[in-house]
Structure formats: structure tokens, C-alpha cells
Amino acid sequence: MAELSGLADWLAAHQQWLAFIIGLIAFAESLALVGIILPGVVMLFSAATLAGSGVLDVWSMLLAGFIGALLGDGISFLLGYKFHDRIRGWWPFRSHPEWLNQGETFFDRHGGVSIALGRFIGPIRPVIPLVAGMMGMPARYFFIVNVLSSLVWAPVYLLPGYFVGASLHWKDHLPVEWLVATTVLLFIAVYAAYLCRYLLIKISADKLYRTGFLTALIYTIGISVLAMLPAGMELNTYMFDHTYSLHTPLLDKLFSAVTATGEFFPTFGMFLFALFWLGLDALHARNRAAVMNFFVYLVIALALKGTFEGMKLLYALPRPEPALSTSFSYPSGHTACMIFLTLWPLWYIGRYLSDRYKPWLWSLGLFIGLLVGESRVYKGEHWFVDVLGGFGLGLSFFMLWLIWENKHPLALSRNNFYWRLGQLAIFCAAVVYWT
């Protein structure tokens, strides 16, 4: 405990370095030769607790942890890939050969998935990337799993400490109702993604996408009717009163950060980023279909914007009283845009992966969109039914894109994968910085 207190005191005296320190600890904790002996979990918890006390925002903390973990495992893999069995003679493995043996047994049992699983299993966590390199795992496959698992690792290891620090700082807590609601949204996203994968095995993609579009469209029409009925307003009023009673300073801070990702500049950036990728595809393929994909995406995205703006004018429903925006309420443009704009790049990246891993990305994109919708209800910027309608609208237009793309597939160059992944990581970092 004395060591932990000393670490916290030192971090408190060097607050401007906290993001760098978190990244450095995550890097060292993931590095094979250091992470074995470093009490990384304790150090990360201490640093995240200090960050949660108001020293560092949650996005900067998660980004620092993600980059550190990514680099730590990446360098461990490259060391194993280059030096192979010579590593057995290095300290500390020459004194503890069982550490490598345990890692090899785990890798043989679980294959490539061990990279993701190993991050969360203490005794073998630091050696799995090293063993993967020693055993000749393809670098391309490793770095795919490394990026995806780092995205999961950072919040799992850092958010508990952050929430503890934030709760102590704000002298408040996270209401169980919001934790349950967010967990339900995550379940919905994961279930929908894996259901889609299952149905793609059973029926053709064209039939699935057309059915999905009609289902989303009928759902949106139904919600639009509900928005005009007294029952819809009663539901809105109940949800507004209930959620308003559950506000806490901590949630104010967290949901403000989430809802900021759906503002104009981040969403416009996502729109331009997708056009950038499609433009590169068109230049690479040099055919009519690739150029058409660029313009079809442009038309669908602009049609989504025009549709929800037109519906706002048509319904002319006022927003909840504390809302800062002066535009009409139904449907939620933030939710509609984020469902469409977050699903698209993760669907695009998923084309490079096997069917086994695509649902991970689909569920992530869907969950982000749903989380933005949840933040709009929490902040009182939209009624509950507004968000339900925005979800259906965004999903409908995304299904339109899938119907088109299924008939006119995008050109896929395997050599571009790492460029695309790197570009996406840089763009996400820019969005986090902006918000």
C-alpha cells in the first residue's frame, strides 16, 4: 500500500504527464521482458484512478492505454519473430523456461485467438505475443488481432480505476439503471451482429439486406406513427422524468463526451473520411463501378441528412425543455448519422477479415451509434422516441448501401489493409482529440 500511495503522490505532482505515463505503463505491462515482473495492473489502476479524479479526460486515457498496449505487444511479437528460439537463452527465460512453455501450450490450444484471450490471463499475458512470433504466426494476422484486442483491453483495464477515481472526486456513483441500460445496448449490438452473420450462412446476402431494409423501414414508420400519438408522448414524458432523476456529475461528464462525437464536425469528418477511402478505391481500380460506389455513398449519405431534416420539419415536434438546440425534435439526427457513419468504416475494414471476426466490428459500430442515442436521452436533447426513430432511419440507409454494394462489390486489395487500419486509427484519435 505504501508503494501505491507513493506512486499516486508522484503522479499527482506530475499531472501534465499522466497520459504519457499511462501509455508507458501499458507499454511496459504488455512488453514480454518487463511485463512479467512489473505490477502493471496495480500501476494502471492507480494512474486511472488519478485520471478519473478530474486530472485527465476518459478519451485521452483510453487512447494512451490503447497505444501503449498496441506497441508493447507488437514489439514483443517482432522480437519473437526475429530471434525465435534464441530467446530461451535470454533473461529471465533461461531461469524460468516454464513461462515460455506455458505460453506455447496456450498458443497450441487456442491458436490465433490466444492473442486476444491472453491479454486477460495474468500469468501468461506478457509472453503470448512473444510466443506467437517465435512460432511463426503470420504478422498480418497478429496485427489485426492486436489492434482489435487492444481496443478492448484499454477500457477493461483502465475504466474500473477511472470510475473509482471519478466517483471519489464527484462524491457520487454510477446509477445501476444506467449501467443496466448500457449493458442492454451492448447485448443488442452483439446479438444483432452475430444474428446477421448466422443469417448470411443460411440465406443470400441480397435477400438478407433487402429484408433488413424493409424491416428497418417498417420499424421506422411504426415509430414515426408512435411519435404523433398520445401514447408516444406519455412514453417520452415517463422516460424523461425517470432519466432526469438519475443525473450525476460523473455521468454528465461521460455522456457529454459521448454526445460530442455526434456533433457536426466529427460526423462531417466521418463522411469525408468514407469518401476519401472510396476515392482511393476508385483511383486504384480505375473502373466505372468503383467511381459509382463513390457517388452512390455520397447520394445515400446526403439523402439520410435530407430525410431526417425533412422529417423534423414535417413533424415539427418540440424538444424537451432543457435542450440547447432550437431545431425540431423528431427524429434524432445524431443517432441516425452515427448509426450509419460508425457502421460504415467498420463494415469496410471487416471485408479484409474472415467471417469469424466480422461481427466484432459490426457490433462495435452499432454499439457506438446506440451509445450516442443513449447520451441524447440522458442530456435531454431528445425524447426517447426521437432516438428510436433515428436508429431505424440510420439503419435503413445503411441497408440501402449494403444492397447497392452487394451488387457492385468494392475492389479489395489486401495490400491496402494496413494503410486503411492505420488511417482509421489516426482518424479515431483525431475525433477523440476534437471532442
Side-chain angles (χ1 to χ4, degrees):
M1 292 299 294
E3 293 179 358
L4 179 58
S5 177
L7 175 63
D9 291 342
W10 192 91
L11 290 174
H14 300 80
Q15 295 177 358
Q16 69 275 21
W17 290 97
L18 188 55
F20 173 77
I21 291 168
I22 289 174
L24 186 62
I25 296 173
F27 170 77
E29 203 270 344
S30 302
L31 193 63
L33 301 179
V34 181
I36 294 174
I37 58 175
L38 185 76
V41 175
V42 175
M43 295 174 70
L44 284 170
F45 187 87
S46 178
T49 300
L50 184 59
S53 68
V55 175
L56 186 67
D57 66 276
V58 65
W59 298 112
S60 298
M61 177 194 71
L62 292 176
L63 180 62
F66 166 75
I67 293 174
L70 188 72
L71 292 176
D73 270 18
I75 291 176
S76 296
F77 172 81
L78 293 175
L79 287 173
Y81 200 81
K82 180 175 178 59
F83 295 103
H84 295 286
D85 283 342
R86 280 179 284 176
I87 291 175
R88 298 183 186 278
W90 294 2
W91 178 90
F93 300 119
R94 62 172 175 265
S95 302
H96 297 278
E98 68 276 8
W99 290 346
L100 287 178
N101 293 337
Q102 290 172 358
E104 289 174 340
T105 301
F106 188 82
F107 187 84
D108 286 336
R109 182 180 304 168
H110 298 285
V113 182
S114 62
I115 304 301
L117 296 177
R119 282 191 180 277
F120 306 96
I121 301 176
I124 61 170
R125 181 178 62 255
V127 301
I128 287 295
L130 188 72
V131 168
M134 292 173 62
M135 301 183 72
M137 182 179 185
R140 174 194 184 86
Y141 184 84
F142 171 82
F143 283 107
I144 292 172
V145 181
N146 188 28
V147 169
L148 296 178
S149 60
S150 295
L151 287 171
V152 178
W153 180 91
V156 167
Y157 271 71
L158 292 171
L159 285 182
Y162 186 88
F163 289 147
V164 168
S167 296
L168 293 173
H169 177 69
W170 296 109
K171 293 182 172 57
D172 217 323
H173 63 286
L174 288 171
V176 173
E177 292 87 343
W178 283 110
L179 292 175
V180 171
T182 305
T183 302
V184 169
L185 294 182
L186 179 60
F187 173 80
I188 291 172
V190 173
Y191 178 80
Y194 275 91
L195 177 63
C196 183
R197 176 177 178 258
Y198 172 79
L199 292 175
L200 282 171
I201 298 173
K202 299 296 183 180
I203 61 178
S204 68
D206 182 67
K207 184 176 181 180
L208 175 62
Y209 298 152
R210 289 180 181 276
T211 303
F213 169 71
L214 290 174
T215 302
L217 183 61
I218 293 171
Y219 162 85
T220 306
I221 293 172
I223 296 297
S224 299
V225 172
L226 176 64
M228 299 297 293
L229 297 177
M233 185 49 65
E234 290 176 7
L235 176 61
N236 284 334
T237 303
Y238 170 79
M239 293 298 295
F240 177 81
D241 292 340
H242 187 62
T243 57
Y244 197 75
S245 68
L246 297 173
H247 278 219
T248 69
L250 173 57
L251 285 177
D252 289 345
K253 185 178 180 180
L254 292 176
F255 278 125
S256 292
V258 171
T259 204
T261 61
E263 298 293 346
F264 173 76
F265 285 108
T267 53
F268 186 62
M270 295 177 201
F271 167 69
L272 294 180
F273 186 74
L275 290 179
F276 170 69
W277 270 359
L278 290 169
L280 291 179
D281 287 342
L283 290 174
H284 175 77
R286 297 181 182 276
N287 59 44
R288 182 174 177 273
V291 174
M292 285 298 297
N293 284 329
F294 177 92
F295 286 105
V296 167
Y297 177 88
L298 177 64
V299 169
I300 290 176
L302 292 178
L304 171 60
K305 170 72 172 176
T307 300
F308 73 72
E309 292 290 359
M311 290 176 69
K312 286 178 182 290
L313 294 175
L314 177 65
Y315 282 81
L317 295 176
R319 289 177 182 258
E321 196 167 307
L324 298 177
S325 177
T326 57
S327 65
F328 292 120
S329 182
Y330 184 84
S332 168
H334 278 65
T335 306
C337 284
M338 288 299 287
I339 289 291
F340 181 83
L341 293 172
T342 56
L343 273 173
W344 194 91
L346 293 171
W347 161 82
Y348 184 101
I349 288 292
R351 298 177 311 132
Y352 291 93
L353 306 178
S354 68
D355 291 341
R356 182 180 181 182
Y357 298 105
K358 289 178 181 178
W360 294 8
L361 296 177
W362 300 342
S363 57
L364 177 61
L366 191 57
F367 178 64
I368 293 172
L370 291 171
L371 201 58
V372 170
E374 183 184 22
S375 74
R376 303 301 287 174
V377 174
Y378 175 87
K379 291 182 66 62
E381 291 293 332
H382 276 290
W383 300 109
F384 180 67
V385 173
D386 300 342
V387 170
L388 296 180
F391 167 74
L393 195 64
L395 193 60
S396 297
F397 277 83
F398 183 70
M399 286 296 172
L400 275 179
W401 164 259
L402 291 181
I403 292 170
W404 166 266
E405 196 279 334
N406 186 59
K407 291 184 174 296
H408 308 84
L410 294 173
L412 182 64
S413 174
R414 295 288 177 182
N415 296 330
N416 291 333
F417 173 73
Y418 293 112
W419 285 107
R420 296 290 188 267
L421 199 60
Q423 291 159 2
L424 182 60
I426 292 171
F427 177 76
C428 290
V431 170
V432 170
Y433 176 79
W434 180 271
T435 56

